């Protein structure tokens, strides 16, 4: 059975869902893919998926685990007092300035020299449209600003202004950006989800409170009102693509004992290991799929 060439780019898309700190599962998945010498010529991520994807593209294979677990008990990273004072639970300046520039440096040179396309999703909270940001069009500062926007959640974050737009969580408008990868020409895609099979998102009714929290953002209200419909529809699209053979899905084998905001490092380490182990367990099937004669990936 063929094996991928070390560090060769597969002609295959990698689609990364968000999910807050549930995304540590995806961090483990990506570390396993790296250890299996798999890289992809197109990577697209939403929210935490974008953060995971950026480190994958920069080939900093273990940076996701370090950043997403090491600081969860640090008040500079998560602080409910800051949420009350400024409306941000996560310390965005700490996460997107201090950490990548001073504590756990992000390798911009490796990131930009990697020939893979990398796309970040975000939501324009005035219009409600999804805005996609290509690596090739982003400066170092712009990259961190757009990732900050993609991870800014409505109840615990603030909009980020960039290029004349007010941006927030990419998951509001494109939670699982498989269709965008397909439109970019990726006929086959590996999709990494952070919820187990059978999960469906329920509607959330809090329109009045949302308007008080974020006044004057009609796109945000529309996205929040229909987000469950969008997400569940995208799950069906993923399932259909998986059934047709154009998509391979890696997802947790069962419910996660970890929430979107998790501050227990031990739980997060176990979640990371779970993503790693379950990816290795799926490797024989994934390899067959990658090198199926009808596949457009690899070979």
């Amino acid at each position: 059975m063929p094996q991928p060439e070390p560090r060769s780019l597969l002609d295959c898309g990698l689609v990364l869902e968000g999910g807050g700190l549930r995304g540590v599962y995806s961090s483990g998945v990506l570390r396993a893919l790296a250890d299996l010498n798999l890289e992809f010529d197109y990577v697209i991520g939403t929210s935490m998926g974008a953060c995971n994807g950026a480190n994958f593209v920069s080939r900093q294979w273990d940076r996701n685990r370090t950043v997403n677990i090491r600081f969860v008990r640090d008040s500079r990273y998560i602080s409910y007092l800051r949420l009350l004072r400024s409306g941000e639970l996560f310390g965005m300046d700490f996460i997107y300035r201090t950490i990548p520039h001073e504590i756990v440096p992000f390798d911009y040179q490796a990131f930009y020299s990697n020939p893979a396309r990398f796309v970040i999703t975000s939501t324009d909270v005035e219009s409600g449209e999804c805005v996609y940001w290509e690596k090739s069009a982003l400066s170092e500062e712009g990259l961190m600003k757009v990732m900050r926007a993609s991870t800014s959640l409505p109840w615990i974050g603030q909009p980020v202004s960039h290029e004349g737009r007010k941006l927030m969580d990419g998951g509001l408008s494109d939670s699982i950006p498989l269709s965008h990868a397909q439109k970019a020409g990726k006929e086959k895609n590996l999709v990494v989800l952070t919820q187990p099979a059978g999960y469906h998102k329920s509607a959330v009714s809090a329109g009045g409170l949302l308007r008080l929290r974020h006044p004057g953002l009609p796109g945000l209200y529309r996205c929040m009102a229909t987000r469950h419909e969008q997400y569940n529809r995208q799950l069906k699209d993923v399932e259909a693509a998986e059934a047709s053979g154009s998509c391979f899905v890696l997802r947790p084998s069962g419910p996660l004992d970890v929430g979107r905001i998790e501050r227990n490092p031990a739980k997060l380490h176990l979640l990371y290991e779970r993503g790693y182990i379950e990816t290795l367990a799926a490797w024989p099937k994934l390899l067959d799929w990658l090198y199926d004669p009808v596949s457009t990936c690899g070979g």
Side-chain angles (χ1 to χ4, degrees):
M1 185 174 292
Q3 293 286 336
E5 292 295 324
R7 303 295 175 241
S8 61
L9 293 181
L10 295 170
D11 177 16
C12 183
L14 176 62
V15 179
L16 302 169
E17 183 186 9
L21 286 166
R22 289 196 307 270
V24 170
Y25 177 85
S26 301
S27 300
V29 170
L30 295 183
R31 178 66 213 219
L33 295 179
D35 287 350
L36 292 166
N37 290 330
L38 291 179
E39 292 193 68
F40 303 83
D41 67 356
Y42 181 94
V43 181
I44 184 168
T46 292
S47 196
M48 177 65 88
C51 298
N52 281 328
N55 291 320
F56 190 75
V57 172
S58 71
R59 299 186 173 103
Q60 292 174 279
W61 312 121
D62 214 34
R63 191 173 183 274
N64 286 320
R65 174 167 59 179
T66 302
V67 172
N68 295 328
I69 300 178
R70 175 178 167 186
F71 301 102
V72 290
R73 289 191 179 276
D74 192 319
S75 62
R76 294 173 297 174
Y77 189 86
I78 297 177
S79 169
Y80 287 96
L81 182 59
R82 181 175 48 246
L83 178 62
L84 293 174
R85 288 176 172 174
S86 65
E88 285 192 334
L89 177 65
F90 289 91
M92 294 305 213
D93 287 340
F94 177 69
I95 294 170
Y96 293 108
R97 291 181 184 173
T98 305
I99 291 178
H101 295 144
E102 300 175 18
I103 304 177
V104 190
F106 181 76
D107 193 338
Y108 289 101
Q109 182 177 357
F111 175 79
Y112 284 108
S113 64
N114 188 329
R117 287 178 65 185
F118 178 63
V119 184
I120 302 169
T121 73
S122 65
T123 301
D124 185 318
V125 288
E126 293 181 316
S127 69
E129 68 177 313
C130 191
V131 185
Y132 302 92
W133 304 91
E134 290 266 0
K135 175 183 76 171
S136 58
L138 290 169
S139 65
E140 292 182 7
E141 181 181 359
L143 171 67
M144 289 298 162
K145 202 169 186 182
V146 168
M147 285 205 294
R148 176 174 181 163
S150 189
T151 56
S152 292
L153 307 176
W155 296 111
I156 56 175
Q158 296 287 359
V160 175
S161 296
H162 186 62
E163 294 191 359
R165 294 178 181 269
K166 290 183 178 180
L167 304 170
M168 293 193 81
D169 177 24
L172 294 168
S173 53
D174 198 351
S175 298
I176 310 170
L178 173 61
S179 65
H180 196 76
Q182 293 169 331
K183 291 174 184 176
K186 295 294 103 181
E187 296 182 13
K188 282 218 165 185
N189 294 278
L190 173 60
V191 179
V192 182
L193 302 179
T194 56
Q195 295 284 10
Y199 173 82
H200 285 82
K201 190 176 290 293
S202 300
V204 176
S205 178
L209 290 175
L210 191 65
R211 284 171 169 78
L212 288 174
R213 172 93 167 102
H214 296 292
L217 300 176
L220 172 61
Y221 314 147
R222 289 196 298 273
C223 285
M224 285 293 286
T226 61
R227 188 183 180 192
H228 64 293
E229 297 173 354
Q230 172 245 129
Y231 184 86
N232 294 334
R233 182 171 61 250
Q234 289 185 319
L235 280 179
K236 290 183 179 179
D237 292 341
V238 169
E239 291 167 1
E242 186 178 25
S244 73
S246 66
C247 173
F248 192 97
V249 181
L250 293 171
R251 68 180 105 197
S253 59
L256 303 181
D257 185 27
V258 169
R260 182 180 287 272
I261 303 166
E262 178 59 65
R263 304 200 69 181
N264 186 327
K267 284 187 177 183
L268 292 172
H269 277 294
L270 288 174
L271 183 60
Y272 180 92
E273 292 173 4
R274 180 174 173 181
Y276 188 93
I277 291 168
E278 291 186 352
T279 301
L280 294 184
W283 173 233
K285 291 183 179 179
L286 174 58
L287 185 60
D288 285 344
W289 177 80
L290 285 170
Y291 288 96
D292 188 294
V294 301
S295 171
T296 60
C297 295

